[in-house]
Amino acid sequence: MGTIAQVLIGLVALEHVYILYLEMFAWTTKGPKVFKGSLPPEMFPPTRTLAANQGLYNGFLAAGLVWALLIGDAVWARHVATFFLGCVAVAGVYGAATASRRIFFVQALPALVALAAVLLGS
């Protein structure tokens, strides 16, 4: 994979580490500000466990993307990156369709741009 693709993969991975942090550790403190409008403020404490579960899944996505960056074999790294970026894009499209259109631009679009860079060899 090229440098541009690696940087973009790294950025998508960092974004998902940040989402993990928000959903697992800062749901009731920073969550209401970051996810403003998605839930009434009084719903953040009772949904803390659900959010933590979502955060864990975002951590798995980040781990897969970091793994793709650490693989020495270029073909295998490309396949792993393609899989995990595809997962992020699908999750982002689903979130945009069911929760907020903003999710497409925050989650799906960066993954799709990174995926394009991977597939184009950038």
Side-chain angles (χ1 to χ4, degrees):
M1 284 186 293
T3 303
I4 293 171
Q6 290 176 333
V7 168
L8 292 173
I9 291 167
L11 290 173
V12 173
L14 283 174
E15 177 184 27
H16 283 272
V17 169
Y18 180 64
I19 295 170
L20 172 148
Y21 164 74
L22 286 172
E23 293 177 342
M24 292 190 81
F25 304 109
W27 185 246
T28 57
T29 56
K30 293 185 181 201
K33 293 175 189 172
V34 174
F35 299 102
K36 186 177 181 179
S38 62
L39 284 175
E42 66 273 6
M43 290 301 297
F44 280 85
T47 60
R48 186 177 189 164
T49 303
L50 294 171
N53 189 47
Q54 290 177 181
L56 185 61
Y57 286 106
N58 280 290
F60 291 142
L61 293 172
L65 293 170
V66 170
W67 176 37
L69 293 174
L70 298 175
I71 296 171
D73 180 82
V75 173
W76 184 238
R78 182 175 178 222
H79 289 311
V80 172
T82 299
F83 173 78
F84 281 99
L85 289 168
C87 289
V88 171
V90 169
V93 168
Y94 182 80
T98 60
S100 168
R101 287 185 186 171
R102 182 175 174 261
I103 294 172
F104 178 81
F105 298 101
V106 172
Q107 185 176 7
L109 188 58
L112 291 169
V113 170
L115 182 59
V118 168
L119 296 176
L120 295 172
S122 298

